[in-house]
Amino acid sequence: MQEYALQAKGLTKTYKAVGPTAAKQALKGIDLAVPRGSIFGLLGPNGAGKSTFINILAGMVVKSGGMAEIWGFDIDKNPRQARASIGIVPQELSIDPFFTPREIMDLQAGMYGVPKSQRRTLEILTAMGLDDKLDAYARTLSGGMRRRLLVAKALVHNPPVLVLDEPTAGVDIELRRQLWDYVLELNKAGVTIVLTTHYLEEAEKLCDTIAIIDQGELRACDSTQNLLAQIDNKTLLVRSASPLATAPSLNGLDAKLTDDGRLAVTYNPGLIPAGAVIAQLNEHGVEIADLDTRGAELENVFLKLTS
Ligand code: ADP
Ligand code: MG
């Protein structure tokens, strides 16, 4: 049996109604398995349920139904081992302003029962570029520094799984790169990385596996390569010199009229070159006045699956 870094089956969450706010079903039965050693992207628009999913694993939100395992430990049956196996960087920059990074790390290590001799406070803070802020009050740290301090904090107990919830929201490009360099290094050292983001480009570049959730449901989960291959097609947008009443039926190609009167022909450039598509259009008497193409991007899959 394959052991996963994370596994969820039929995971549901309904937030109870509070006052005038109606109850909200944030997760509607999520089945998800994150392979060990991967960099796994959890994508979805705002309100999709990403943080809810992660906060259930973190033990910060109580699930309504289903099961979840972290590194093979059921969060209900083995909560201590499950929690020891995961480090979570929350979306909110919640840091006690009156402690210093060194103190925050020590408190966290204490909470996880990491013996003093095994603590790597300085090593981790240095890796996160915070070695010159060891004894500065957290309230004096910039947003980017706080984010990195939260990453450092999540690593205190050396967990095999590191989860980052929207880690680059509000982080500038330079820091983002630095953060990713470090995350990639951790991954090379064997740490499974799970991140949520709505920066598709980032996910496309970093993640080997991607899950897309929307409105509490899983819409797709596959290797980044397969997801992109799935839409390894391009669309040729043609404006005909004389208006078309209907789309011509082309041989093995999907052709539709768009709202703005153009002809959209979808083709797979690996199977048929654009020239052959155009030749077919000519054969059908379509006189091309203007031409445009749209490529396959993760963004397209994303839009297709979440619109
Ligand atoms: P995401 O992280 O993908 O943006 P969330 O998991 O934060 O999504 O939210 C999913 C849905 O659950 C949203 O509709 C959100 O408003 C709702 N929600 C999140 N947290 C709470 C809460 N504590 N109480 C009630 N509703 C919540
Ligand atoms: Mg969120």
Side-chain angles (χ1 to χ4, degrees):
M1 195 187 83
Q2 160 138 35
E3 291 270 14
Y4 293 103
L6 301 178
Q7 195 174 13
K9 281 189 188 151
L11 201 62
T12 61
K13 173 65 191 178
T14 302
Y15 290 105
K16 291 205 181 74
V18 180
T21 316
K24 172 81 197 179
Q25 196 179 8
L27 296 179
K28 299 174 182 164
I30 299 281
D31 294 318
L32 197 62
V34 174
R36 292 190 178 187
S38 61
I39 301 187
F40 191 96
L42 188 58
L43 302 189
N46 259 335
K50 306 181 295 293
S51 293
T52 298
F53 181 79
I54 279 165
N55 291 337
I56 289 172
L57 298 174
M60 297 190 302
V61 166
V62 179
K63 66 182 163 62
S64 304
M67 66 82 91
E69 281 181 5
I70 304 169
W71 214 250
F73 298 111
D74 189 292
I75 61 170
D76 292 331
K77 292 178 199 143
N78 296 298
R80 279 175 58 89
Q81 288 101 319
R83 268 172 60 79
S85 305
I86 195 166
I88 306 236
V89 184
Q91 184 170 354
E92 264 78 49
L93 290 174
S94 51
I95 286 181
D96 194 318
F98 298 109
F99 288 100
T100 68
R102 194 201 296 274
E103 290 166 346
I104 286 169
M105 294 292 279
D106 275 339
L107 281 171
Q108 184 82 354
M111 253 171 56
Y112 278 93
V114 182
K116 283 229 157 70
S117 62
Q118 284 174 31
R119 294 187 187 175
R120 301 175 300 131
T121 303
L122 189 62
E123 179 196 322
I124 299 171
L125 287 175
T126 302
M128 295 317 298
L130 291 170
D131 41 323
D132 58 342
K133 298 286 177 191
L134 285 175
D135 300 307
Y137 283 115
R139 69 177 129 85
T140 66
L141 302 180
S142 71
M145 289 175 186
R146 287 176 196 211
R147 180 76 62 194
R148 285 179 284 151
L149 178 55
L150 285 174
V151 177
K153 201 176 147 190
L155 291 169
V156 151
H157 56 295
N158 219 1
V161 188
L162 179 66
V163 179
L164 304 118
D165 194 2
E166 308 270 358
T168 48
V171 175
D172 69 48
I173 291 176
E174 182 53 36
L175 283 181
R176 209 179 283 185
R177 247 214 329 262
Q178 205 179 322
L179 184 61
W180 290 137
D181 284 349
Y182 188 56
V183 162
L184 288 172
E185 232 174 83
L186 284 171
N187 182 251
K188 274 205 200 100
V191 179
T192 303
I193 309 287
V194 178
L195 66 101
T196 78
T197 179
H198 48 248
Y199 290 105
L200 294 173
E201 216 187 297
E202 206 160 75
E204 197 170 327
K205 249 188 272 167
L206 283 164
C207 301
D208 46 58
T209 315
I210 288 177
I212 296 176
I213 70 168
D214 183 34
Q215 296 176 31
E217 291 178 87
L218 189 72
R219 302 271 191 240
C221 182
D222 212 331
S223 68
T224 309
Q225 226 177 354
N226 282 352
L227 270 184
L228 290 173
Q230 203 183 319
I231 43 135
D232 181 24
N233 48 36
K234 285 194 158 187
T235 302
L236 204 61
L237 288 161
V238 173
R239 188 167 298 287
S240 165
S242 47
L244 297 168
T246 54
S249 61
L250 303 176
N251 191 10
L253 292 169
D254 179 46
K256 279 196 212 77
L257 284 180
T258 65
D259 291 340
D260 66 352
R262 285 191 291 178
L263 186 62
V265 186
T266 308
Y267 68 106
N268 183 333
L271 301 175
I272 176 169
V277 178
I278 292 168
Q280 271 209 54
L281 290 173
N282 284 333
E283 279 166 32
H284 282 81
V286 178
E287 198 187 325
I288 297 171
D290 194 16
L291 195 64
D292 214 344
T293 60
R294 263 203 313 252
E297 276 161 19
L298 193 53
E299 181 139 18
N300 292 349
V301 204
F302 190 74
L303 289 175
K304 205 168 87 189
L305 293 167
T306 60
S307 60

